[in-house]
Amino acid sequence: MVEELLTAVIAAGAGVAVYVGFAARVVKQYERGLVFRFGRLREEIRGPGFTTVVPGVDRLRKVNMQIVTLPVPAQEGITRDNVTVRVDAVVYFKVVDPASAVVAVEDYRFAVSQMAQTSLRSIIGKSDLDDLLSNREMLNQGLELMIDSPAVGWGVQIDRVEIKDVSLPETMKRSMARQAEADRERRARVINADAELQASHKLAEAAEVMSEQPAALQLRLLQTVVAVAAEKNSTLVLPFPVELLRFLERAAPPPATVHGHGAAASSAVTGPGPEAASPETASLQEPAPAGPATEGPGPAAVESAPGEAPPAALDRPAGDGLYLDAPPADPDRPRG
C-alpha cells in the first residue's frame, strides 16, 4: 500500500514538473509578452519575469521594446534643381504598443524600412542640392514626420531620422570645386582691394607729412636701404634723389660777382657775335655789302680803321672798363 502511494506521488510530481516545463516562460526586461489562446489575443500583456501559459492552448509572442537602428539603403533621385544624387539615411524607432505592432502590421520592421525609403525619395525630389548639403536638420525633421505619420497606427514611434551621406557625380564635384575656388578668389581680391585702399589713405597722409619736412624722405630712404641690405643675397640699387641735389644746392655758397661794368664788360671780353654787342655798339653797326669781301668775324662785328679804337671804346672815357684792340683791316675791303 505504501509503495503504491509513493509511486502515485512520484508520478504526480513528475507530471507537475513536465507541465511546469512546458508551461513556464521567461520574459526579459526589454521585452513584453503577448499571449494568444486558440489564436485570440489575450488583453493581458505579460511583463518581464517568470510567467506561465497553458501548454497546447496558449502561444506566447515576445516583442522587443528597445530602440531599433534601421539603416535605409541608398536611394537615387533627382533633386528639384535637376541634379542626380544618391542619399542614404538611418532611422531610429521603438515599439510603444506591442499589441498593435504584432496585430496591426505583419512585419513592423519591414514596413518601417519601406516607408523610410519611400519618404527619402520624396524628400530628394522636393529639395534642392544646397539643402541636402547644408540644411540637413530641416530635412531630417521633415523625413521624420513623413515616416511617423503612418507608423503611429502600427504601434511604432519614430525616435530620430538622420541623412548619412549624399553622393554626387564626379562632374558635379568638379563644378562645385571650381565654384568654391572662384568664390574664394573673389573674396581674396576684395580683401586685397580694401587693403590697397586703406594703404593709399595712409600713404597719402605720410606723403603730406613728408612734404612739410623733406629730410623725412631721406630718412625713409635710408631705412629702406638698411632693410634691403640685411639680406646678403640681393643686389642693392641706390637711387640718387633729386631732393638731395636741391638740398646741396641750397647749402652751396652764392657765386662771386664780376667787377666792372657787368654785362657790358663781359660782352666786350667775349668777342664779336650777336650777343656780344652792347646797345651803343649795336647803334653804330652798318650792314655789310654782299659778296666774298664782306666776310668778317661775325654779323654783329663792328668795322674800324687800322689804329683806331672800336666805336664802343670811343664813347667810353679812358680808364673806364675793358678795351680790346681792333683787328687789322683788310686793305682790299672797302670802308663803310
Side-chain angles (χ1 to χ4, degrees):
M1 187 69 182
V2 178
E3 294 179 358
E4 293 178 357
L5 182 61
L6 290 176
T7 302
V9 171
I10 292 173
V16 171
V18 171
Y19 177 82
V20 171
F22 281 101
R25 299 288 186 274
V26 176
V27 179
K28 297 180 180 179
Q29 180 66 36
Y30 54 85
E31 293 177 340
R32 297 294 182 271
L34 299 177
V35 177
F36 291 87
R37 178 167 295 177
F38 295 109
R40 187 180 183 87
L41 178 65
R42 299 293 299 271
E43 295 181 358
E44 182 185 359
I45 298 177
R46 305 295 176 89
F50 180 81
T51 185
T52 59
V53 296
V54 179
V57 177
D58 295 341
R59 185 173 61 88
L60 183 65
R61 174 75 179 271
K62 300 178 182 179
V63 180
N64 193 337
M65 303 296 291
Q66 291 177 319
I67 295 178
V68 180
T69 303
L70 180 65
V72 181
Q75 302 297 314
E76 185 173 355
I78 300 177
T79 61
R80 190 167 56 181
D81 51 355
N82 299 326
V83 179
T84 303
V85 295
R86 289 178 60 88
V87 182
D88 56 351
V90 58
V91 180
Y92 302 91
F93 69 94
K94 64 181 179 179
V95 177
V96 293
D97 188 359
S100 298
V102 174
V103 176
V105 62
E106 180 182 2
D107 187 353
Y108 64 90
R109 288 175 176 265
F110 182 74
V112 172
S113 176
Q114 294 299 314
M115 179 56 65
Q117 296 179 31
T118 305
S119 301
L120 183 58
R121 286 194 296 267
S122 178
I123 285 292
I124 293 174
K126 294 179 181 179
S127 305
D128 294 332
L129 179 61
D130 294 338
D131 294 335
L132 289 174
L133 296 176
S134 61
N135 197 11
R136 294 187 181 182
E137 190 66 28
M138 184 180 66
L139 296 180
N140 293 337
Q141 295 178 1
L143 189 59
E144 179 180 349
L145 291 176
M146 293 180 66
I147 301 175
D148 190 51
S149 297
V152 172
W154 303 338
V156 177
Q157 179 183 356
I158 305 300
D159 187 70
R160 191 185 184 110
V161 180
E162 292 286 344
I163 295 177
K164 292 197 303 182
D165 187 22
V166 178
S167 300
L168 299 176
E170 293 297 329
T171 56
M172 180 58 64
K173 291 181 180 179
R174 289 193 293 268
S175 300
M176 294 176 64
R178 289 195 299 269
Q179 179 183 0
E181 183 179 358
D183 184 65
R184 290 182 180 275
E185 185 177 358
R186 177 185 62 84
R187 286 186 291 177
R189 289 183 179 181
V190 171
I191 293 174
N192 289 334
D194 190 13
E196 291 291 339
L197 178 61
Q198 297 179 6
S200 64
H201 291 323
K202 296 299 181 181
L203 289 175
E205 295 178 2
E208 184 178 357
V209 173
M210 288 183 180
S211 62
E212 298 177 358
Q213 298 292 336
L217 184 60
Q218 306 302 322
L219 296 177
R220 187 69 185 94
L221 176 61
L222 295 177
Q223 291 177 357
T224 304
V225 171
V226 171
V228 175
E231 299 180 1
K232 305 295 183 180
N233 57 352
S234 59
T235 302
L236 179 61
V237 179
L238 180 62
F240 198 74
V242 181
E243 288 77 6
L244 184 58
L245 295 177
R246 294 176 181 174
F247 178 76
L248 295 176
E249 183 181 357
R250 289 193 299 269
T257 57
V258 180
H259 298 285
H261 288 278
S266 62
S267 62
V269 174
T270 301
E275 293 82 0
S278 62
E280 295 84 357
T281 309
S283 62
L284 297 177
Q285 291 179 356
E286 295 181 359
T294 60
E295 294 179 359
V302 179
E303 299 179 359
S304 59
E308 297 180 358
L314 295 175
D315 295 338
R316 296 178 183 178
D320 187 8
L322 301 175
Y323 300 97
L324 298 176
D325 295 335
D330 189 1
D332 298 335
R333 183 178 178 180
R335 293 182 181 181

